[in-house]
Amino acid sequence: MRPLTAHIDLDALRHNYLQARRCAPQARAMAVLKANAYGHGAAACAAALGDLAPAMAVACLEEGQALRAHGIKCPIVLLEGFFEVSELDEIITGGYWSVLHTPWQVEALLERLAHWPQHRLTVLIKCDSGMHRLGFSPDEIQNICQRLRTHEGIEQTLLMTHFATADVPDNPLLTRQLETINTLRSRLDLPGCFANSPATLSAPASHHDWVRPGVMLYGVNPLERHHPLHDEINQVLQPVMTLESRIIAVRELPAGEPIGYGARHVTRRPTRVGVVACGYGDGYDRHAKEGTPVLVDGQRVALAGRVSMDMLTVDITELPEAGIGSRVTLWGRDASGATLSVSEVARWCDTIAYTLLTGILPRVPRCYHRSDAPKTLIDAGVLP
Ligand SMILES: Cc1ncc(COP(=O)(O)O)c(C=O)c1O
């Protein structure tokens, strides 16, 4: 088999989830599992968090259906709500909690609820407190909440918002968003669901009744590097995905020889080049720059030359022991315990960890590890 595998440490996922709970002890934490659990495999991650998380959140009904198909029973929040009226019957009867962010969604839902008198629904009414992406303005929300509250088909309304800058310390926009949403929450006397990962970790004033951690569950520190809590959080979170492969060929080149497409890298000294089975056809970012760190047998080496579709090349001149079959860690935790954070790799690609993790393509097999469970969920019969 091609040696590239994304190893998913489900114990680390559970550990990180519990860190979110520890940071916001008064709140309940819905696990955000959208985009296939940020590339980690939503069904497996949901199964691993099943006994911990009182609710899970996905982007849309299709993602929710995939979790239901794998036996997930808890409420599933649809973060973008619904896109078509045809989704409503399943939302109403299937235990979904829909976000409502536009007037037509409110009208359509209330109209459809009339067809299901025996069902009562929880909804999240989204306020645009300053990010200006989705949501009602604070002025619009009062009337809508009044209608929802008095509608007998609505069991519970949560007030929701999303923060644009919670990862940055002392950010004036976060202060403004918090002021707006906390004032509104007190006025409307509704349960609040505001905090993403950075707010869960660093803004207790945002916690209230529910927090919505996403990326931190996967071991990514969401705080900016100059945030005063950044280093502490690094100690607390554990990487969940380790992207691992092997060296499949070695080239011994004299100085002055090009490596790979476009001859971007030209050797400056006699160089040993390791060819690694991993490329942009697997989701590894083609924009990774010269020097992007990679672990070979737990030691840092540098990317040399362009990433191609199925392979990339690293300079292993300093590692005479390394050769065909040597273990390569593109990010995550190496078998020896050495770590390379996906955030660090992302900086070398001028992107963020979110895009690298969600970008790992289906052809990369995910191998799930959990200390008290069979090695893979395929073995356990959870996944087909
Ligand atoms: C509405 C909403 N809530 C929560 C999250 C989780 O955010 P994070 O991954 O930064 O914790 C996201 C992710 O983008 C989101 O869109």
Side-chain angles (χ1 to χ4, degrees), residues 32 34 38 79 126 133 160 162 196-198 212-216 222 354:
V32 180
K34 62 185 175 145
Y38 292 47
L79 290 171
K126 186 153 187 178
R133 194 174 62 175
M160 178 196 176
H162 196 47
N196 54 1
S197 295
R212 295 192 310 276
V215 81
M216 68 171 288
Y354 295 70

Side-chain angles (χ1 to χ4, degrees), residues 272-284:
R272 288 184 81 226
V273 179
V275 182
V276 180
C278 178
Y280 65 78
D282 301 300
Y284 191 92

Side-chain angles (χ1 to χ4, degrees), residues 20 27 113 130 134 141 181 198 206-207 221 239 336 344:
L113 266 175
L134 292 184
I141 258 180
I181 199 67
S206 69
H207 289 170
N221 185 345
S336 68
E344 183 177 352

Side-chain angles (χ1 to χ4, degrees), residues 260-328:
Y261 284 117
R264 178 176 80 172
H265 185 101
V266 177
T267 55
R268 280 199 226 106
R269 55 173 185 178
T271 302
R272 288 184 81 226
V273 179
V275 182
V276 180
C278 178
Y280 65 78
D282 301 300
Y284 191 92
D285 197 324
R286 184 176 172 275
H287 301 102
K289 295 194 188 76
E290 290 292 317
T292 301
V294 169
L295 301 179
V296 173
D297 291 335
Q299 317 248 40
R300 277 180 176 241
V301 298
L303 185 79
R306 276 203 188 129
V307 174
S308 42
M309 188 182 287
D310 313 310
M311 284 168 275
L312 54 82
T313 37
V314 290
D315 182 340
I316 53 168
T317 314
E318 306 297 333
L319 298 182
E321 311 279 283
I324 292 178
S326 288
R327 191 187 293 266
V328 176

